[in-house]
Amino acid sequence: MKVDIVEILHQPEYTDENRCEPCTVLNLVIAGIAGSAIARKSKLGGAAAFGASVGLIYLRGYLVPGTPTLTKRYLPSAVLRWFGKEPELETRGGLGSVPSETTSANEQPSKAMTSDSETSTEEIDPHDFLLTEDVLEPCENRDDLCISESYSKRWNAEIVDLTEKDLDVDEAVSILGVQMEGETFEIEQYGEAWALVTGSQTIGQWPSQGALLADVGAARVLEEWSDEWDNLVPAQRGQILNGLRLFLERCPGSEGSVSISQETVESCCSSHEVITVSCDKTGERLFEQQLNEV
């Protein structure tokens, strides 16, 4: 039986559109060094070794066994950026969570978003804000923080109201504090993800419809609950709302429970530990963020 050596060696998960350029360059450098070392004793042997190495890199994506894992784990972030491989993982963290790198040259940066009143541009700690505004409080039965009962009841009531009707994009934009002159807003679905978009840019991305409804419902309550809410810019509001979803105990719009889990997300050249909150019955994801940012 004829054996196709090319088919055996070919690894599509690391080649073609899945090829990791930093891995390829690193392995080519290694191949060049090895070929040069062999060429000191035999030029023909060095050329043959380098040619064979290039062939393996072309078919397999790498020469040194374990290169994808080694690159993800040990190659510095700055080096990955040199090759155009941004090591940061894009998570769908709600309003203002879309990095500027995802917009085109003709799009407006997200700083074009403004709130309804004069706002502060200082950094805000969502945890401190939620504690100061009495949204979070010490849990009664464990050493942790929980949503206060009074806020939780109002938040759940708003979510139920939102799930019983179609979400109005103008209301969502208003309650989230976004103002962009001359722009028309739309809410679009991409697979399981939901996004607030304009003709020029994406304003925010949520991991599910439930996450979006939870944010709009929470913003409804905070508008009356907190005297400081009107003084926050949309990006700050987005951080607070995203952090608040981490404390959800029930799946929005249902009586199902939720679970917090940790998972490893792989990209072509890096790996990240991500914390998620998902509905147990439906699997709908309500929160996702890198572990080092939680």
Side-chain angles (χ1 to χ4, degrees):
M1 181 176 64
K2 184 178 180 180
V3 178
D4 190 341
I5 189 65
V6 173
E7 185 176 344
I8 292 175
L9 293 175
H10 186 221
Q11 293 192 142
E13 63 269 30
Y14 297 122
T15 57
D16 303 322
E17 67 272 9
N18 297 322
R19 183 178 296 277
C20 173
E21 284 86 353
C23 299
T24 300
V25 172
L26 177 62
N27 280 265
L28 285 173
V29 170
I30 294 172
I33 294 173
S36 297
I38 296 173
R40 292 176 182 176
K41 295 184 177 180
S42 170
K43 292 184 178 181
L44 181 60
F50 181 74
S53 297
V54 171
L56 286 172
I57 295 170
Y58 176 78
L59 292 172
R60 297 176 60 80
Y62 59 88
L63 174 64
V64 179
T67 292
T69 300
L70 294 173
T71 303
K72 293 173 184 180
R73 187 171 299 173
Y74 299 113
L75 201 61
S77 298
V79 176
L80 292 176
R81 291 191 180 96
W82 291 345
F83 293 99
K85 293 295 181 180
E86 176 57 54
E88 295 302 319
L89 178 69
E90 178 186 344
T91 52
R92 297 164 293 188
L95 183 66
S97 64
V98 182
S100 59
E101 288 83 356
T102 63
T103 59
S104 69
N106 294 325
E107 292 178 347
Q108 298 295 321
S110 54
K111 67 181 181 180
M113 295 189 297
T114 60
S115 65
D116 297 327
S117 60
E118 184 178 354
T119 57
S120 169
T121 58
E122 296 179 357
E123 290 291 328
I124 189 169
D125 187 322
H127 177 269
D128 290 345
F129 176 88
L130 294 170
L131 280 173
T132 301
E133 297 299 310
D134 297 323
V135 175
L136 297 180
E137 61 184 17
C139 301
E140 293 183 358
N141 56 358
R142 64 181 188 274
D143 184 16
D144 202 349
L145 291 174
C146 295
I147 300 175
S148 68
E149 184 177 356
S150 55
Y151 184 90
S152 181
K153 287 182 178 179
R154 293 178 61 178
W155 189 15
N156 288 333
E158 294 293 351
I159 291 175
V160 170
D161 179 65
L162 289 166
T163 57
E164 292 178 348
K165 61 183 182 181
D166 293 334
L167 180 61
D168 183 86
V169 63
D170 292 331
E171 179 194 0
V173 167
S174 175
I175 203 70
L176 294 174
V178 179
Q179 285 186 333
M180 294 176 65
E181 187 176 351
E183 293 285 2
T184 300
F185 296 88
E186 294 182 1
I187 294 175
E188 297 182 353
Q189 183 177 4
Y190 302 95
E192 296 181 355
W194 289 65
L196 176 63
V197 302
T198 70
S200 64
Q201 74 178 72
T202 300
I203 305 301
Q205 292 179 325
W206 289 261
S208 66
Q209 183 184 34
L212 173 57
L213 296 180
D215 276 11
V216 175
R220 278 182 173 183
V221 181
L222 285 169
E223 191 173 45
E224 299 179 359
W225 183 281
S226 170
D227 292 334
E228 294 298 320
W229 184 250
D230 285 341
N231 297 323
L232 302 178
V233 297
Q236 293 171 325
R237 295 186 183 192
Q239 286 182 300
I240 291 168
L241 295 173
N242 185 52
L244 191 54
R245 267 185 278 116
L246 182 61
F247 294 89
L248 280 170
E249 296 183 348
R250 312 298 296 177
C251 189
S254 72
E255 295 301 318
S257 60
V258 301
S259 295
I260 298 178
S261 62
Q262 180 177 333
E263 62 184 50
T264 301
V265 177
E266 302 279 354
S267 64
C268 88
C269 299
S270 58
S271 60
H272 306 268
E273 295 299 316
V274 176
I275 294 294
T276 65
V277 176
S278 303
C279 298
D280 291 330
K281 289 185 177 180
T282 64
E284 184 178 33
R285 182 165 293 188
L286 305 174
F287 175 92
E288 59 181 23
Q289 192 164 335
Q290 289 189 63
L291 177 62
N292 61 356
E293 296 177 356
V294 177

